[in-house]
């Protein structure tokens, strides 16, 4: 059983100052609204309702943290999965857009316990302008990035390969970058994503 399967809800926060003091490694999930962040977290943790998604884009406004217990000390978290608010919602006010952008940007730039970033992109849409903007926030951090091209089951294998090559080229400035096709429903890319995330949280548990 993967250590990620032991993840449990830890805290929700609307602002960075409501998060716990940085200590254990954190892996954040970020992407456009309804790109499949909640589905990815749920399938990687082998739980149906750990992360919640909304049918209304932009509805989820909180930073949600899920703790992964240390096998040697279950009361102490080995690390955290962090579900950041989605971006790219057209139906909310401009000032709300800016507020959430500030939360996203500040977390990525200032959170000292951030160990890695999981960027989710719909494989059918490719990289959008908002994804490019997010990449501009990520690049200065120097943090490793795992790109999950979600809904990969919707494309044949050859198109998936081309999509990976295109995203790698577009995001080459991020440096430490790994891109994989991913599908929560068809369980594509799950083991590869699991290993990458665990390697950030606790390298000794990954062969």
């Amino acid at each position: 059983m993967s250590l990620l399967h032991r993840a449990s809800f830890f805290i929700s926060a609307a602002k960075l100052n409501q998060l716990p003091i940085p200590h254990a490694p954190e892996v954040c999930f970020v992407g456009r609204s309804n790109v499949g962040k909640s589905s990815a977290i749920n399938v990687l943790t082998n739980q149906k309702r750990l992360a919640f998604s909304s049918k209304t884009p932009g509805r989820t406004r909180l930073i949600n943290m899920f703790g992964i217990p240390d096998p040697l000390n279950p009361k102490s978290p080995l690390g955290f999965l962090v579900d950041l608010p989605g971006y790219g919602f057209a139906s909310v006010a401009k000032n709300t857009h800016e507020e959430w952008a500030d939360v996203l940007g500040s977390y990525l730039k200032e959170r000292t316990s951030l160990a890695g970033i999981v960027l989710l992109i719909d494989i059918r849409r490719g990289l959008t302008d908002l994804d490019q903007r997010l990449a501009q926030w990520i690049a200065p951090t120097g943090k490793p990035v795992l790109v999950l091209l979600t809904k990969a089951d919707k494309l044949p294998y050859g198109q998936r390969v081309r999509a990976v090559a295109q995203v790698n080229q577009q995001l080459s400035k991020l440096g430490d970058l790994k891109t994989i096709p991913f599908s929560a429903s068809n369980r594509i890319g799950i083991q590869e994503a699991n290993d990458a995330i665990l390697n950030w949280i606790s390298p000794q548990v990954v062969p």
Side-chain angles (χ1 to χ4, degrees):
M1 181 178 74
S2 170
L3 282 177
L4 297 185
H5 294 181
R6 300 183 182 184
S8 61
F9 175 77
F10 187 79
I11 194 173
S12 289
K15 299 179 180 179
L16 294 186
N17 60 13
Q18 296 172 344
L19 294 176
I21 296 173
H23 58 295
E26 297 173 15
V27 174
C28 73
F29 288 69
V30 65
R32 288 178 59 88
S33 297
N34 291 358
V35 74
K37 285 194 292 96
S38 297
S39 297
I41 292 172
N42 287 336
V43 75
L44 287 167
T45 59
N46 197 35
Q47 300 180 49
K48 293 182 178 180
R49 300 283 289 174
L50 180 64
F52 291 90
S53 60
S54 171
K55 294 181 180 179
T56 304
R59 183 75 176 271
T60 304
R61 307 182 184 186
L62 299 175
I63 299 171
N64 293 303
M65 297 185 70
F66 309 102
I68 301 168
D70 188 334
L72 301 179
N73 183 11
K75 294 184 178 180
S76 175
L78 183 70
F80 295 96
L81 304 180
V82 182
D83 186 8
L84 296 176
Y87 56 90
F89 24 83
S91 59
V92 297
K94 181 179 179 181
N95 62 332
T96 307
H97 271 283
E98 294 171 351
E99 178 183 342
W100 290 345
D102 286 344
V103 171
L104 286 170
S106 296
Y107 177 89
L108 293 170
K109 293 177 180 178
E110 300 172 11
R111 191 69 176 170
T112 57
S113 50
L114 180 60
I117 299 165
V118 180
L119 171 60
L120 294 95
I121 297 171
D122 188 328
I123 197 170
R124 301 167 301 178
R125 299 187 63 175
L127 209 67
T128 67
D129 290 341
L130 285 167
D131 296 323
Q132 291 280 18
R133 180 181 175 188
L134 179 65
Q136 292 174 3
W137 285 336
I138 293 173
T141 71
K143 300 296 182 183
V145 179
L146 171 65
V147 178
L148 299 185
L149 295 178
T150 63
K151 311 182 194 303
D153 57 294
K154 305 297 183 183
L155 295 183
Y157 178 77
Q159 290 186 37
R160 295 179 204 167
V161 173
R162 289 193 290 274
V164 168
Q166 183 176 23
V167 169
N168 281 338
Q169 182 179 18
Q170 292 172 318
L171 296 179
S172 58
K173 62 184 177 183
L174 296 184
D176 190 355
L177 175 70
K178 182 179 181 66
T179 304
I180 62 173
F182 188 87
S183 170
S185 58
N186 285 35
R187 304 188 67 82
I188 297 170
I190 292 175
Q191 187 61 53
E192 200 172 354
N194 172 85
D195 291 350
I197 292 168
L198 281 179
N199 188 59
W200 290 337
I201 293 175
S202 185
Q204 68 269 20
V205 304
V206 180

